[in-house]
Amino acid sequence: MCGILGLLLHDPTLDAASEICEGLALLQHRGQDACGIVTCGPKGRFYQCKANGMVRDVFDAAGVSRLVGGMGVGHVRYPTAGSSNHAEAQPFYVNSPYGIVMAHNGNLINTSSLLHFMDAVAHRHINTTSDSELLLNIFADNLQKTGKVRINEEDIFTAIRGLMGQVKGAYACVAMLAGFGIIAFRDPNGIRPLGMGSRKALGEGNGKDWLFASESVVADASNFHDWEDVKPGEAVIITRSGVSRRQVSPPATFAPDIFEYVYFARPDSVLDGVSVYRSRMAMGDALAVEVERVLKEHNLTVDVVIPVPDTSRVAALNLAQKLKLPYREGFIKNRYVGRTFIMPGQQMRRKNVRRKLNAMALEFADKNVLIVDDSIVRGTTSKEIVQMAKDVGAKKVIVASCAPPIRHVNVYGIDMPSRTELVAHNRSETDIAAAIGADLVIFQTLPDLIASVRSFNPAIPAFDCSVFTGEYVTGGVDEEYLAALECLRADNVKQRMELGGLGTMEGKGGGAVRHDGARVEESREIAPGCSGPMNGADSTVGLHNSWSLS
């Protein structure tokens, strides 16, 4: 899961970098591994700064001042597969044709066939394991087919139409053509979020400034208005001369990822017409009904409702109000530790839970406590939290999850690795409770979760609920594919990759290599994620990178 952003200022004498940097900080929750900005200045020259780390660490005043130009693209990265080293930041760049920069959020599922096409037909070298670089080169190849010295909007729409006919999976993209403008497009199922807004131009002129972003909160903070979502299968091209929009892909089932509403998105964002905050309130109301039913079945009572900060607070408060129970902030959060779900490595996640949260004994001692969390994924955090509650004197600890049991991997850009690492895989609710040390675990039902979100936009026909159901909206995902994917994503494999002992792809169009040296069948489609080494991280390759270790 990543955050993407594109900004075009109507006045070309102004620099966009500082606003892009501020926008990326607002999207930091979507990725804390690496970040980057590329801007376009006079004569179509690109300027870039990107590195491993948080936005506040990568972009200082001097670095931002070197990012010249009134339009740019930014990215915050959270790895799905691949290692987590300095060279993996986006946006990506390719010089031919025309000079293109792209930031991508999502995951492709047909990378093997695309790599073969790049090698055998397009004759383009893919230098990394990243499907984002691959996606950029598919776009570039389609643009190359125009054969023109200068292209127009019609050529770009044609190229994106060609791209959507070739790639499968989830992708929300913001691109920039040197000296031309910014471009956004979204996969035909609309799995990953992307929207746009405008405001009266800063500086001179009567035109408009334009913004693309993963979440509407960026528009709110920068005074952009008229926020609307990029439609599934739609492409939008913005230049200083105007805006062009076109549906370039045939209709498909619109199915945004429901986990955005459960966990990833900020509560003050609106995605596809649904307030994340309101949807979480509804989740709490629905979960309250299920909690009441299950507690009666087990003849249990609860003294207090305590949320796991921060994501579950909204739902927990509504649940407590509906059940007429006290709501208390029993866990105090250290805000300077990252989100444990998106930390690479199981050991790191476990170690950071107690650094991140502290249980207050006065809210737990001698009480039956209902702990509300947004979801239970690996169970690492939940187990530590339950133990913390018992350590400070809780009599019974009941855990309620706003999401159903997560039993399947995500192939569209969320790091839910091997199924065996998911605490709910092949386990009953009783077994899950035992695994995390709780007296009882209560899950939201899937129909209630869907209804909680859809109630705010009935026009959404479906949601991607694959982590709960194992049904993948794009098709093309079978057991063999999942087995190969799990080899790439398992935590122990990631650690080996960070030590340089594993490559996810061997040569051009090759299969993956497992840590034991066995070769994954080359015909299978491996989805490395919108991660992987970044072209041009070193100033001697591609664009000069203004970020420095010194």
Side-chain angles (χ1 to χ4, degrees):
M1 187 68 65
C2 302
I4 60 175
L5 190 155
L7 176 64
L8 185 144
L9 302 180
H10 182 74
D11 186 348
T13 65
L14 300 178
D15 289 338
S18 61
E19 279 201 88
I20 296 174
C21 183
E22 291 170 1
L24 292 181
L26 292 166
L27 295 175
Q28 187 77 85
H29 60 285
R30 299 188 67 85
Q32 301 169 6
D33 183 63
C35 54
I37 295 173
V38 179
T39 59
C40 184
K43 299 182 180 179
R45 180 178 176 182
F46 288 141
Y47 300 81
Q48 77 168 346
C49 178
K50 46 191 172 183
N52 224 32
M54 307 277 276
V55 172
R56 64 172 181 253
D57 300 321
V58 172
F59 301 109
D60 57 16
V64 171
S65 68
R66 290 191 289 267
L67 296 172
V68 179
M71 64 177 175
V73 172
H75 187 271
V76 288
R77 176 182 178 273
Y78 144 71
T80 49
S83 63
S84 301
N85 60 52
H86 164 63
E88 294 186 348
Q90 291 190 46
F92 280 85
Y93 161 74
V94 67
N95 70 338
S96 178
Y98 314 117
I100 312 170
V101 167
M102 181 180 286
H104 163 224
N105 175 27
N107 215 63
L108 305 185
I109 63 171
N110 64 328
T111 53
S112 291
S113 59
L114 293 175
L115 283 165
H116 178 75
F117 171 81
M118 285 284 101
D119 186 26
V121 180
H123 309 307
R124 283 180 171 267
H125 173 63
I126 305 300
N127 196 51
T128 75
T129 60
S130 171
D131 64 345
S132 300
E133 185 195 7
L134 182 56
L135 187 62
L136 170 59
N137 275 271
I138 292 288
F139 179 48
D141 179 65
N142 279 280
L143 277 179
Q144 190 86 55
K145 293 174 182 177
T146 65
K148 292 182 178 180
V149 176
R150 294 286 182 268
I151 57 171
N152 56 33
E153 285 84 346
E154 191 64 38
D155 300 320
I156 296 170
F157 284 132
T158 300
I160 297 174
R161 182 181 298 111
L163 175 149
M164 290 189 179
Q166 289 175 272
V167 303
K168 293 180 180 179
Y171 49 93
C173 300
V174 176
M176 178 169 59
L177 263 64
F180 187 90
I182 56 175
I183 302 159
F185 56 92
R186 196 175 176 196
D187 70 76
N189 296 108
I191 298 171
R192 300 267 73 88
L194 184 61
M196 59 186 288
S198 64
R199 70 182 179 199
K200 184 182 182 300
L202 302 178
E204 299 180 2
N206 296 317
K208 288 185 176 182
D209 299 333
W210 289 92
L211 172 78
F212 292 117
S214 296
E215 296 187 28
S216 65
V217 65
V218 182
D220 296 337
S222 299
N223 202 32
F224 283 83
H225 307 290
D226 302 321
W227 180 262
E228 58 180 312
D229 300 285
V230 176
K231 296 180 178 63
E234 182 183 30
V236 184
I237 304 167
I238 301 179
T239 69
R240 291 191 173 93
S241 301
V243 179
S244 302
R245 306 180 67 163
R246 186 170 302 176
Q247 193 74 28
V248 294
S249 172
T253 301
F254 179 27
D257 187 349
I258 204 163
F259 211 67
E260 289 277 358
Y261 302 94
V262 171
Y263 176 80
F264 267 105
R266 280 180 49 142
D268 46 348
S269 286
V270 176
L271 306 181
D272 292 309
V274 176
S275 163
V276 176
Y277 178 77
R278 293 292 187 189
S279 70
R280 290 177 185 169
M281 289 177 66
M283 290 176 205
D285 289 338
L287 183 58
V289 176
E290 183 67 9
V291 166
E292 187 173 37
R293 183 188 67 80
V294 176
L295 289 178
K296 284 181 179 178
E297 281 185 4
H298 289 79
N299 196 27
L300 286 172
T301 58
V302 167
D303 300 311
V304 64
V305 175
I306 295 177
V308 178
D310 286 312
T311 319
S312 63
R313 278 190 171 124
V314 176
L317 180 57
N318 267 51
L319 180 149
Q321 291 173 341
K322 195 172 184 69
L323 294 180
K324 296 181 173 58
L325 290 171
Y327 170 92
R328 297 289 185 268
E329 292 285 349
F331 292 107
I332 303 304
K333 182 178 180 181
N334 176 0
R335 300 187 179 281
Y336 303 99
V337 177
R339 300 176 91 176
T340 54
F341 172 73
I342 64 176
M343 285 180 179
Q346 187 84 319
Q347 289 182 348
M348 179 68 76
R349 283 186 290 271
R350 185 178 296 113
K351 188 176 182 180
N352 275 277
V353 172
R354 287 181 181 259
R355 290 178 180 175
K356 176 180 174 182
L357 296 175
N358 184 50
M360 290 195 297
L362 62 90
E363 296 295 355
F364 289 92
D366 299 320
K367 296 177 182 177
N368 291 347
V369 180
L370 178 66
I371 295 176
V372 179
D373 207 350
D374 51 76
S375 58
I376 302 174
V377 184
R378 297 170 178 88
T380 310
T381 303
S382 300
K383 185 174 183 178
E384 290 295 321
I385 286 172
V386 169
Q387 188 58 51
M388 288 166 63
K390 291 187 174 181
D391 288 346
V392 293
K395 287 195 300 184
K396 288 187 180 294
V397 179
I398 299 153
V399 178
S401 168
C402 296
I406 296 172
R407 294 192 165 100
H408 305 275
V409 296
N410 183 283
V411 302
Y412 300 130
I414 299 178
D415 185 18
M416 292 179 181
S418 166
R419 284 164 287 187
T420 59
E421 292 180 332
L422 299 173
V423 71
H425 182 67
N426 283 340
R427 284 190 175 104
S428 67
E429 294 183 12
T430 301
D431 294 334
I432 297 168
I436 66 173
D439 295 281
L440 183 65
V441 173
I442 304 170
F443 288 96
Q444 183 93 269
T445 68
L446 184 56
D448 283 347
L449 176 61
I450 292 172
S452 297
V453 182
R454 182 181 283 151
S455 63
F456 298 99
N457 185 2
I460 300 177
F463 291 92
D464 172 56
C465 301
S466 54
V467 296
F468 309 122
T469 66
E471 298 171 1
Y472 299 94
V473 66
T474 61
V477 179
D478 57 21
E479 183 60 34
E480 190 177 359
Y481 173 90
L482 293 173
L485 178 62
E486 288 176 355
C487 288
L488 297 181
R489 287 191 177 177
D491 278 343
N492 63 330
V493 177
K494 279 188 181 179
Q495 290 166 8
R496 290 172 182 265
M497 292 179 68
E498 289 175 11
L499 296 173
L502 178 75
T504 55
M505 292 182 187
E506 191 76 359
K508 290 181 280 188
V513 180
R514 285 194 271 256
H515 65 278
D516 60 3
R519 193 167 182 80
V520 178
E521 184 183 346
E522 291 192 1
S523 63
R524 296 308 305 145
E525 310 290 0
I526 311 299
C530 63
S531 52
M534 182 276 301
N535 59 341
D538 189 320
S539 62
T540 62
V541 182
L543 290 177
H544 171 71
N545 189 359
S546 64
W547 186 84
S548 174
L549 289 170
S550 59

